[in-house]
Amino acid sequence: MTIQLSVKPIKQWSFYKERPLMICGPCSAETEDQLMETARQLAKTGKVDIFRAGIWKPRTRPDAFEGVGKEGLKWLRSVKREIGLPTATEVANANHVNEALKFGVDVLWIGARTSANPFAMQEIADALQGVETTVLIKNPVNPDLELWIGAIERINRAGVTQIGAVHRGFSAYERTTYRNQPKWQLPIELRRALPEIPLMCDPSHIGGARRFIYEISQKAMDLNYDGLMIESHCDPSKALSDKNQQVTPNDLMELLSRLILRQPVSNDNRFLDVLNELRSQIDIYDDQLLDLLEQRMSVADTIGSYKKANNITILQSSRWEEIIQKATVKGASKGLSEEFIQLLFKAVHQESINHQNKIMNS
Ligand code: PEP
Ligand code: MN
């Protein structure tokens, strides 16, 4: 499937100075002082291209802080006028779009709960018809590439060409290290489907904690993302939303100074860039392989305890025959040689037996 988009390259956006485009600011606008102070400190770093702040906050539970609403748009306008930073806020319906545009907000972003909803996306697209602005579309909360692409298409068809995608991770029922699972293969697939779309990473919402922001940002840079959206608050301990993942402007500076940016400067380096990007993809898949193996072995451990309790032997040849047969056939259909499948599965099986052995004799 080829998807026709009309997209303005990010290097032609007026906000863009160099990679990465930096979109920073608090999760939420809370008070005028908090907003102005954070913006002042961020502007001083000289590294921030766009100032973000949520005015209307989509909160899971009704009693959480739901944003200051329209009032905050005046403060954002002051940030723009007095500090000179272009501004960005989240919109989730036509009314938000109209209000934000009225107050001169430069960039509208669509949150993960909204991009998952085609009705809301269409309503926003209709409100944007014929408007010249910049729209960033976060991935939907669920890992559905088509839904993300569909949201981007709707906005683009309204005539918005200054458009970008923001990778903020995917929610999962299981407890994971990060707040949201990055599932890096999804944004990689998005770029395969829409090579022209500028791609940003939001390490704050992926990680959910300050200590993860650097490593996620570095990975995004190694995958050649165009920009980063990072939550920054002048006093994170007092933040009314997403307290644990916001960094002070100073910490943001420190983190950015450690980021390694691999830029193409000559033909040779261009080659190395592509190579690094591909290798980063390999690293991601290898990590996934290890995670899967860990999960497989933990099931083997459970089976070990179960067999022990029921006095059953570890090795059951018929079961092993069945596994290796199925894997050989399936592997062949995926272009994997019989020799490789045999080696791989024998090694995995052996490790599984070792695990069970340990359990049964413990
Ligand atoms: C946010 O950026 O503060 C936000 C609510 O993001 P998301 O839609 O990614 O949860
Ligand atoms: Mn947030």
Side-chain angles (χ1 to χ4, degrees):
M1 179 184 45
T2 54
I3 300 150
Q4 287 302 328
L5 291 186
S6 167
V7 172
K8 188 162 162 193
I10 192 167
K11 292 196 170 121
Q12 292 170 25
W13 295 15
S14 59
F15 320 111
Y16 187 87
K17 293 197 291 280
E18 58 179 9
R19 193 173 84 95
L21 177 81
M22 293 300 306
I23 307 161
C24 305
C27 178
S28 305
E30 297 162 1
T31 65
E32 185 165 14
D33 282 349
Q34 165 250 6
L35 211 64
M36 295 299 282
E37 184 53 29
T38 306
R40 238 187 309 275
Q41 292 185 24
L42 286 173
K44 228 171 65 193
T45 67
K47 291 279 177 199
V48 173
D49 303 301
I50 298 166
F51 180 77
R52 66 148 278 159
I55 300 293
W56 300 282
K57 299 302 295 179
R59 304 313 301 281
T60 305
R61 300 291 293 278
D63 290 335
F65 172 65
E66 292 189 311
V68 292
K70 257 176 82 169
E71 174 79 4
L73 289 171
K74 291 189 208 139
W75 310 338
L76 268 184
R77 192 172 54 191
S78 303
V79 165
K80 188 171 160 172
R81 285 183 180 162
E82 291 169 32
I83 298 172
L85 282 174
T87 55
T89 201
E90 173 171 348
V91 293
N93 59 39
N95 178 52
H96 293 166
V97 171
N98 295 331
E99 292 295 339
L101 291 173
K102 234 191 286 173
F103 282 84
V105 175
D106 302 277
V107 176
L108 309 177
W109 88 78
I110 290 156
R113 292 153 198 81
T114 308
S115 65
N117 178 352
F119 286 132
M121 286 310 305
Q122 194 54 51
E123 177 184 321
I124 293 167
D126 291 342
L128 284 167
Q129 193 71 45
V131 176
E132 242 182 75
T133 187
T134 304
V135 180
L136 303 178
I137 298 148
K138 290 198 169 194
N139 67 256
V141 275
N142 49 325
D144 184 334
L145 182 62
E146 289 294 303
L147 207 48
W148 197 2
I149 292 175
I152 293 168
E153 273 181 300
R154 285 179 203 273
I155 299 299
N156 195 228
R157 282 193 197 173
V160 177
T161 56
Q162 204 150 291
I163 193 171
V166 181
H167 171 216
R168 54 77 77 196
F170 304 89
S171 60
Y173 177 69
E174 305 81 48
R175 272 239 246 163
T176 49
T177 313
Y178 293 159
R179 175 180 177 187
N180 287 292
Q181 297 184 307
K183 294 192 180 293
W184 295 95
Q185 65 274 30
L186 262 110
I188 290 168
E189 287 298 321
L190 179 81
R191 224 172 16 187
R192 257 206 353 202
L194 309 174
E196 64 278 67
I197 196 89
L199 183 59
M200 333 280 164
C201 182
D202 173 347
S204 308
H205 288 91
I206 292 177
R210 279 182 278 284
R211 67 184 183 282
F212 298 131
I213 292 177
Y214 171 75
E215 66 188 45
I216 300 167
S217 302
Q218 183 62 60
K219 188 159 251 177
M221 288 300 100
D222 289 340
L223 286 168
N224 226 359
Y225 281 47
D226 300 288
L228 295 171
M229 182 188 266
I230 300 182
E231 286 187 341
S232 176
H233 190 295
C234 57
D235 187 356
S237 68
K238 298 214 171 73
L240 298 180
S241 60
D242 288 351
K243 213 191 202 99
N244 299 330
Q245 68 194 36
Q246 303 204 60
V247 292
T248 63
N250 267 341
D251 288 347
L252 178 74
M253 268 305 276
E254 189 275 327
L255 181 159
L256 290 179
S257 71
R258 283 188 289 132
L259 267 194
I260 300 166
L261 280 187
R262 298 171 174 99
Q263 305 267 26
V265 277
S266 75
N267 280 346
D268 235 24
N269 283 344
R270 173 76 199 135
F271 160 76
L272 286 173
D273 263 11
V274 172
L275 190 64
N276 278 332
E277 187 179 337
L278 291 170
R279 284 181 175 159
S280 300
Q281 291 183 27
I282 293 276
D283 289 347
I284 289 160
Y285 287 121
D286 284 350
D287 273 343
Q288 289 178 353
L289 277 176
L290 289 170
D291 287 343
L292 278 176
L293 285 170
E294 181 195 23
Q295 287 173 29
R296 192 193 191 283
M297 292 310 155
S298 118
V299 176
D301 288 345
T302 310
I303 292 183
S305 319
Y306 194 55
K307 285 180 179 167
K308 182 179 183 182
N310 289 280
N311 242 345
I312 304 284
T313 58
I314 293 179
L315 188 64
Q316 285 161 315
S317 318
S318 57
R319 166 76 182 143
W320 166 238
E321 265 311 308
E322 186 193 315
I323 290 179
I324 195 103
Q325 283 273 332
K326 267 212 299 225
T328 307
V329 173
K330 192 162 182 184
S333 78
K334 291 175 182 293
L336 303 169
S337 71
E338 183 172 344
E339 185 197 13
F340 169 67
I341 293 287
Q342 298 271 339
L343 274 172
L344 176 69
F345 273 74
K346 273 185 191 150
V348 170
H349 187 234
Q350 187 54 56
E351 178 73 358
S352 214
I353 288 176
N354 294 348
H355 269 245
Q356 292 189 31
N357 215 351
K358 219 157 126 194
I359 300 248
M360 293 184 87
N361 296 307
S362 64

